[in-house]
Amino acid sequence: MRHGKKVNHLGRKTAHRKSMLANMACSLIEHKRINTTVAKAKAVKQFVEPIITKAKEDTTHNRRIVMSRLRQKDAVIELFRDVAVKVGDRPGGYTRIIKLGSRLGDAADMAMIELVDYNDLYNAGKATKKKSTRRSRRGGSKAAAAPAVETKATKEEE
């Protein structure tokens, strides 16, 4: 039984796996999308999403935590300067995994993992919609209904 064992070891020892995930996360931050296997993409998603959340608040402590995980200064600088600004209002879900089919050589399931806010194809069709609450809609309908009743009453008087 494998109760409570969440880590996918990916057929590697701990040090190799951590180095590989750090390198893949740096490549993802630098290139905004990478192609890899589905299992590695899921592992990178779990690795990089908390790091991006840390980068949304630019403090020395958060920079040191992210630097200890990523280990590449250029990736950390780009993460805090560019990526964190772009995903600042997003409450999570910074990456998207798109399955591509199987690899020709060994038939491994391939996937593309990308940062959501940097995909122009998906974001081009969506216009920024003004957020509204249910209260504002109900209040607006009452205000619109009241003048209609008054005009009806004025027509009956004539």
Side-chain angles (χ1 to χ4, degrees), residues 89-91 127-134 136-137:
D89 59 340
R90 182 177 288 276
T128 57
K129 187 170 84 171
K130 182 182 174 187
K131 291 186 178 181
S132 61
T133 61
R134 294 182 66 172
S136 64
R137 279 192 291 171

Side-chain angles (χ1 to χ4, degrees), residues 4 27 37 45-46 49 69 71 77 87 97 114 117 151:
S27 296
T37 62
K45 182 172 187 159
Q46 286 182 334
E49 296 237 352
R69 299 292 303 271
R71 306 179 194 146
I77 290 170
V87 300
I97 296 175
E114 64 182 3
D117 291 323
T151 56

Side-chain angles (χ1 to χ4, degrees), residues 3-147:
H3 297 303
K5 298 183 180 178
K6 294 182 180 179
V7 177
N8 185 354
H9 297 291
L10 300 172
R12 288 159 174 82
K13 304 274 182 172
T14 305
H16 184 191
R17 183 175 58 251
K18 286 182 179 178
S19 296
M20 183 190 65
L21 291 175
N23 289 334
M24 291 179 77
C26 291
S27 296
L28 179 64
I29 291 166
E30 182 182 348
H31 300 292
K32 311 304 185 252
R33 78 173 46 123
I34 55 173
N35 289 339
T36 183
T37 62
V38 173
K40 287 181 190 173
K42 289 178 180 179
V44 169
K45 182 172 187 159
Q46 286 182 334
F47 182 84
V48 80
E49 296 237 352
I51 290 174
I52 296 173
T53 302
K54 286 277 187 202
K56 285 166 64 172
E57 185 180 353
D58 190 3
T59 61
T60 305
H61 182 64
N62 285 346
R63 277 186 181 264
R64 287 178 177 165
I65 290 172
V66 170
M67 185 66 191
S68 71
R69 299 292 303 271
L70 290 183
R71 306 179 194 146
Q72 289 184 16
K73 190 174 183 179
D74 296 333
V76 173
I77 290 170
E78 185 166 348
L79 176 65
F80 277 89
R81 187 186 312 139
D82 300 331
V83 177
V85 171
K86 197 150 188 177
V87 300
D89 59 340
R90 182 177 288 276
Y94 312 110
T95 58
R96 175 186 297 127
I97 296 175
I98 300 171
K99 295 185 180 179
L100 301 175
S102 58
R103 187 161 50 195
L104 191 60
D106 59 354
D109 290 331
M110 296 298 288
M112 177 177 65
I113 182 168
E114 64 182 3
L115 295 175
V116 172
D117 291 323
Y118 285 91
N119 190 334
D120 298 332
L121 296 176
Y122 284 118
N123 296 339
K126 296 179 182 176
T128 57
K129 187 170 84 171
K130 182 182 174 187
K131 291 186 178 181
S132 61
T133 61
R134 294 182 66 172
R135 271 181 298 202
S136 64
R137 279 192 291 171
R138 267 195 274 159
S141 63
K142 286 182 182 177

